[in-house]
Amino acid sequence: MVNAKLVIKRRQVFEMPGLGRLAAPLAMSLAALLLALVASHYTGLSLAELSDDAALSAKRGWLIGALSTLGSVLLAMAAGVSLLAVALRKHYNAGPRRASTSFWLACCSLLLLADDAFLLHEGLFLLVLGIPEFFTQAFIGGVVMAVLMLFRRSIAGSFIFALPAVICWVISVLSDSLLDDRQLAALVIEDGFKLLGICLWLQFSFDMARRSISQVIDSQGQT
């Protein structure tokens, strides 16, 4: 009885009706973008510098690459929360690890993190293997969409986060390819939608991990 009440309370805390569930990732991404624009105004750094991917050089200012670094941190958090759910399911023998949706979502998050942090589409695949960026990004997007489609039943209502995340990434990639990246408006569109997509993906991963852990709690309460 106590376990059942705890499960109900947890569900009431995390479940938000309709589009209101998108408020948190949208607010988070907008706040980060606005802070970047304010920092650009007061420091003299361009938005391109703030979103620069090469942010680890000691010769660079500490704000250079801030948006890109934030994106990598959020993707790492998405992978971490999914792996936490996988670890708990394994600990309580709640099903095969590789059959867990959170396991494959963690793999997707790690793939996205590797590409975002190490620029695989611009470095390894383009410069070393000679594969155009479009094919690399299409492959990564295809892997993510394949996982979402394969586990669409278990994902269920959490698609409200997953599909907008993918759409935002597509818009970001297209704007990077089609728009002049020297213009502020193009950078805002590219980096804004990319960051919003990452925030949505983090919320999606959190939502799926919560549901997976709730299933473990339910199964333990019935035994």
Side-chain angles (χ1 to χ4, degrees), residues 22-69:
L22 297 174
L26 179 60
M28 185 176 182
S29 58
L30 286 177
L33 186 59
L34 287 174
L35 286 174
L37 291 173
V38 171
S40 174
H41 176 74
Y42 284 102
T43 63
L45 297 173
S46 67
L47 188 61
E49 290 176 305
L50 291 174
S51 60
D52 191 1
D53 295 290
L56 300 181
S57 174
K59 297 181 180 180
R60 291 173 169 267
W62 68 276
L63 275 176
I64 294 180
L67 278 180
S68 179
T69 302

Side-chain angles (χ1 to χ4, degrees), residues 196-217:
L196 177 56
I198 292 175
C199 290
L200 287 166
W201 185 262
L202 173 60
Q203 183 68 40
F204 169 58
S205 300
F206 175 80
D207 203 51
M208 289 302 302
R210 175 193 61 80
R211 292 173 58 188
S212 180
I213 294 173
S214 295
Q215 291 175 359
V216 174
I217 295 175

Side-chain angles (χ1 to χ4, degrees), residues 5 14 31 41-42 50 75 85 99 105 153 165 173 179 202 209 220:
K5 290 182 179 179
F14 287 109
H41 176 74
Y42 284 102
L50 291 174
L75 284 174
L105 291 180
R153 291 186 178 179
V173 170
L179 300 179
L202 173 60
Q220 291 300 309

